[in-house]
Amino acid sequence: MTEVAAGADLLERDDARARLDADLEHARLGVGRVVLVGGEAGVGKTSVVRSFTARHEQALRVVWGACEALFTPRPLGPVLDIAQRLEGFQAVAPTTDTERAGFFAAFLDELRSHPTIAVFEDVHWADEATLDALKYLGRRIDDVPAMLVLTFRDDEVGSNHPLRQVLGDLPSSVTSRVTLQPLSVVAVAELARRAEKSARGIHEATGGNPFFVTEVLAGDGGDVPTTVRDAVLTRASRLSAGGRRLLDAVAVVPASVEVWLLEELAGEDFTHLAECLASGMLTPTRSGVGFRHELGRLAIEHELAPDRRILLNEKAFRALAAHAPDDLSALAHHADAAANSDAVLRFAPAAARRASDVGAHREAAEHYARALSYHAAEDAARLSLLEGYALEIGLTGRYAEALEVRRAAIALARDLGDRLRLGENLARLPLAMISLGLNDDAEKASRESVEILEQLPPGRELAYAYSAQGTLRMLSRDNAEGVRWGKRALDLAVQVGDADIEALALNTIGTSYVMAGEIEVGGGYLERSLDVATEHDLHQRVASAYSMLASGLGEMYELEESQRWAGEFVAFATRHDLDTAYIRSWLAATHVYLGRWDEGAALAQELLADEISAISRITALIALGRVRMRRGDPGSADVLDEALDAALAGGHLQRLGHLRAARAEAAWLAGDPTRAVAEACAVYELALEKRHLWFAGELAYWQWKAGALDMAPDWIAEPYARQIAGDARGAAEAWASRGCVYEAARALSESGDEALLREALTGLERLGAQPLARSVRQSLRTLGASVPRGPRASTRENPAALTAREFGVLELVAQGLRNAEIADRLVLSRRTVDHHVSAILRKLDARTRGEAVATATHLGILEDR
């Protein structure tokens, strides 16, 4: 398997390179070292070693030799390859024991003559003569200025492997080990972001193996890239015929196969299990055995002949039906793979319902899709499957598909003449439409559902329709109407005893109050909704309560509370297979407003690299655009234009108020007050009509800044009201109390007081807010104050404009600490440190941590500190 190269940028390999550097220092001093670099195939052993040697090949002699997986390995192959690269050394293959002893001694003497890094690749394939050479050299390397680097696949070196004895005989005083682990979820997500691909499912499929990850990201989206398939099949070809057949049996069972089931599937071939484990193709699991990577399993499964695949799956189905009849998911899977339609229609819907009950919504969706593929009849049973499928894929964020499936359910309900189910499906249609920005279509569907269901006896379906209408009113920021419809839904839900709709109605009422600025009242209803949902184990409603508390409080600039609830939501939603993108986009926005620009921008970019809903994308684009405009970075106009294109389709204040305010700010910072007024005026009347404290306040503020507005209503949010009234200090204090450090500095910048202006400049320079900082410097000069032309002295000593926190992180990076160690030292999350390191690399235009330290040292940043 070809090792992954620079495509993975050697993420999470700093420790390995540091270990190699430390061992090299010993070798330079004449104390030779043997470094064993182990890891599974494709984990990046060669890439790490090449990166290491590339940094030293100008000062040292670097030579490479490789073992090969030949049926008859060439004796001393890698040793001779290296010997031929040693100038002046007579690399003649020895033919007798006496010649071989002399050859080994001469080779060692040649290493003594010049500091050397000698790399022996893939020594798990080494022949006996090469193993003897490595043992000879390793036991005598202690007084030689050389470093022997041996790479090997540790998953293929079992207790009886010849290499194991050689490694055990090496002196511990000169031997060190570097074991490379697969990439973490965070690293895989970073690679996906750079490739502008979705990271979803990649870590699970690849196990974090860098080669697999890189090939999947470079592929066309198919299950198994050709390069991965070829690598897996090459390894499998080295097994005996019985071992290969055993792999086939394991491959038809996802994840892992229990030992009893494998015995049923493999029969006599079960005796080859030890062989497959020793090869590294299979690995023990908690309940049995499985492939090391899901892609490996898929590669083997795809190679099965159709008749053999059906036979193995039919055997698995029969065995499970007899011995594990409650394993609905496995029974549905194997019934499908065996093309047993009756069994699929029996087990898949039941498996879907069970998966949904425990919060495994992606699995539930897969089971519904499986059942639908076998149920062609246009009947009530198919309608139930469509309804279940639409609900589950909507919960997982596949809104466009959910919309199409729900429309199919509506069409079928009309054909069947089922008015009750027609009304209910129409009531559920707006959920997907809202997420896609189709608010007008959502209104039509909601009104039709209410009209149909009010003609039928009242029940849970009508209660849901009332709540859906209340939600639409709330989203339009018609808050009084949202409360009215929510209370109608609540009364009926309580009357019919439906806890699900009761929790939904409480949510609608509470969010409507929050949007009206009645935060305490609204919060009370939302927490009641959370209590009801928790008591009845209603995953969707629990998540909805967390979601509305996070986004609603964020819109009301209760930012710390918003972040707290967002954290609760993300943790809960992740455990239950629910879409997290929208609240994570709000989390990015609150980071920005709290002055955590690096974190906010990084999270927004991570989201935008994925396939997310329109409303999630709009919020992430606004967050990213705010950071770019405030820093003076390029690209703010592009992201805000994209956001406007997406927001205009919905036409609601919820998106446009936020966005038009951001665009007005961008215009102002760009020196275009006329455009700032136009952007602010575009939705100002709507914000006034809805009495939105914050949107009306910010839109009024930008008009005031541009001289187009003298006064605003007295009910707008306090910080904006104080700014428009000319109370710079009071406004700054109001902003600071909410954690909004940029907005506080901006308020101070509107003062004519030198001390307040200098205070504003300090805050702005700390944030790297250069456009507004330049304006403040000009204001100070107008007052006749002495001001540096560029950043202040402390910033000139810091030409990369690193924040104080970034300085602290950079210093620890320079000390060789890993991100996890930095997080512990600074009492931060690992993710936050990852974002800080990314920001440092960006500001210093460095590709690696080492480059960042070198650049900072060259610029005098680290020395001056």
Side-chain angles (χ1 to χ4, degrees), residues 632-701:
D633 290 344
S636 64
D638 293 338
V639 295
L640 293 177
D641 284 348
E642 181 184 343
L644 183 62
D645 289 341
L648 285 173
H652 281 201
L653 180 66
Q654 183 185 15
R655 313 294 167 212
L656 289 174
H658 199 187
L659 176 57
R660 289 293 188 180
R663 291 173 63 85
E665 178 182 3
W668 174 263
L669 289 172
D672 190 345
T674 301
R675 184 161 58 88
V677 171
E679 292 286 356
C681 287
V683 288
Y684 181 54
E685 291 301 324
L686 183 60
L688 293 177
E689 176 189 333
K690 307 293 186 181
R691 288 183 68 90
H692 196 293
L693 310 181
W694 292 92
F695 291 159
E698 186 170 8
L699 295 167
Y701 169 75

Side-chain angles (χ1 to χ4, degrees), residues 250 253 255-257 277 280-285 288-293:
V250 178
V253 182
S256 70
V257 54
L277 289 169
M281 292 293 294
L282 298 181
T283 187
T285 66
V289 297
F291 281 80
R292 190 172 293 273
H293 312 102

Side-chain angles (χ1 to χ4, degrees), residues 234-293:
T234 297
R235 293 188 72 183
S237 69
R238 301 189 187 110
L239 296 170
S240 66
R244 185 64 177 79
R245 289 193 297 271
L246 182 74
L247 277 192
D248 292 347
V250 178
V252 301
V253 182
S256 70
V257 54
E258 294 182 63
V259 174
W260 72 266
L261 180 56
L262 182 56
E263 288 187 89
E264 293 274 347
L265 295 177
E268 293 181 357
D269 292 328
F270 183 77
T271 58
H272 293 272
L273 178 58
E275 175 193 358
C276 292
L277 289 169
S279 74
M281 292 293 294
L282 298 181
T283 187
T285 66
R286 185 174 302 173
S287 59
V289 297
F291 281 80
R292 190 172 293 273
H293 312 102

